[in-house]
Amino acid sequence: MVVLITGGAKSGKSTFAEKYAAKLGTKGIYIATSPVFDEELQERVRLHQQRREMSAIGWETIEESYELNAVLRDLAGNKELWETGTVVLVDCLILWLSNWLLRYEQDRAEERIDEQLTLLEQTLCNFPGTLLLVSNEVGYGIVPDYPLGRNFRDLAGIMNQRMAAVSDRVFLVTAGIPIELKSREFTI
């Protein structure tokens, strides 16, 4: 089962994802995609780690800023994980996307990110266990006044749509309240 959990900054997405993981499984693998390059990020990471340490589920952390597809494929091939009730949580897709965008900003970024998203879709479609993906909704605010910001906003929206399409469940978290969207989807 693949679950996408999205919402705004500080909406409660990660907290909900961790609690949901504890409900779904007995062990957890937490894939952290954020590079830690300043003190403020280091503090955020520390708070996330502290919260996971107090969780009902035991967490193993894998830090990977770029090669998310390779990590997920490796985990998918480990049959023992799925027999022991392990849940995989990726936090967060937006940071993973921004890592790739900054790496390829001047070198066919959209094309290269599309390739990464296609690989991720394929990985998700074949994932044998429970996988929770945390992402952000970034398009609710003002239009960024610089090209990189607009490109990021657009790619984030495209990524979230594509990941939602291959997810079994999609939650929107606002003000700490999760609402499951996919079961309420209006189809034409």
Side-chain angles (χ1 to χ4, degrees):
M1 174 175 66
V2 177
V3 179
L4 176 65
I5 300 165
T6 187
K10 290 298 188 188
S11 63
K13 302 176 303 293
S14 296
T15 301
F16 169 69
E18 291 166 16
K19 288 179 180 177
Y20 192 41
K23 179 180 177 167
L24 296 173
T26 56
K27 293 171 47 179
I29 296 176
Y30 187 97
I31 303 174
T33 61
S34 178
V36 180
F37 49 80
D38 63 25
E39 289 181 18
E40 186 266 340
L41 268 174
Q42 190 172 20
E43 178 61 15
R44 285 177 182 253
V45 168
R46 189 189 68 73
L47 291 172
H48 275 243
Q49 290 169 337
Q50 187 177 42
R51 188 175 63 230
R52 286 194 308 275
E53 288 170 4
M54 297 184 307
S55 171
I57 191 171
W59 290 101
E60 171 191 340
T61 300
I62 299 172
E63 295 180 7
E64 181 51 62
S65 300
Y66 293 95
E67 299 304 328
L68 177 59
N69 284 305
V71 170
L72 290 175
R73 282 192 307 272
D74 287 347
L75 292 173
N78 186 342
K79 194 174 181 180
E80 183 181 317
L81 291 176
W82 318 123
E83 293 170 352
T84 59
T86 299
V87 175
V88 176
L89 193 164
V90 176
D91 198 356
C92 108
L93 287 180
I94 283 294
L95 291 169
W96 173 76
L97 174 73
S98 67
N99 296 337
W100 282 109
L101 180 58
L102 292 173
R103 177 178 277 182
Y104 294 121
E105 177 183 357
Q106 304 298 324
D107 186 20
R108 304 180 349 259
E110 293 86 358
E111 180 183 327
R112 289 173 176 241
I113 288 171
D114 181 67
E115 291 169 3
Q116 289 296 322
L117 293 176
T118 298
L119 288 172
L120 184 56
E121 286 170 315
Q122 293 167 352
T123 300
L124 299 182
C125 287
N126 297 308
F127 201 78
T130 302
L131 174 61
L132 308 180
L133 305 166
V134 175
S135 191
N136 286 66
E137 289 298 325
V138 299
Y140 291 151
I142 61 171
V143 175
D145 63 353
Y146 51 96
L148 180 61
R150 289 189 298 275
N151 197 15
F152 171 72
R153 179 206 54 191
D154 293 349
L155 288 168
I158 290 166
M159 177 186 69
N160 285 344
Q161 288 183 58
R162 289 174 69 174
M163 296 310 108
V166 296
S167 293
D168 299 295
R169 299 183 110 182
V170 177
F171 287 91
L172 174 65
V173 182
T174 302
I177 300 169
I179 302 293
E180 203 284 320
L181 299 175
K182 194 135 187 185
S183 65
R184 299 168 187 230
E185 178 180 16
F186 179 79
T187 56
I188 297 175

